[in-house]
Amino acid sequence: MEITDKVLEVLRAQGEPLNAGKIAELGGLDRKEVDKAMTRLKKEGRIVSPKRCYWTPA
């Protein structure tokens, strides 16, 4: 499973907007890897930001 899939899985499981630090904490992932994955997900349009610095699946 790719890191992007893990990030999306954590976001879907929580059901609320999360910031990168919380995603890393809940998923047991490295923060830098989460940041890279989120950048890719943003470019692909797979996550959206309902408020500054918080993300949710598109």
Side-chain angles (χ1 to χ4, degrees):
M1 179 181 275
E2 279 192 41
I3 185 90
T4 53
D5 296 329
K6 290 179 184 177
V7 168
L8 283 172
E9 183 179 306
V10 170
L11 285 169
R12 287 186 183 117
Q14 293 305 305
E16 64 183 5
L18 299 173
N19 61 21
K22 194 69 173 174
I23 293 168
E25 179 185 323
L26 292 172
L29 306 167
D30 180 56
R31 170 64 191 262
K32 289 183 181 185
E33 293 299 317
V34 170
D35 288 337
K36 289 177 190 176
M38 290 179 69
T39 299
R40 196 158 92 199
L41 289 168
K42 285 183 258 184
K43 286 181 183 177
E44 294 172 0
R46 294 172 66 188
I47 59 174
V48 294
S49 180
K51 62 182 178 178
R52 188 169 189 230
C53 296
Y54 284 80
W55 299 90
T56 187

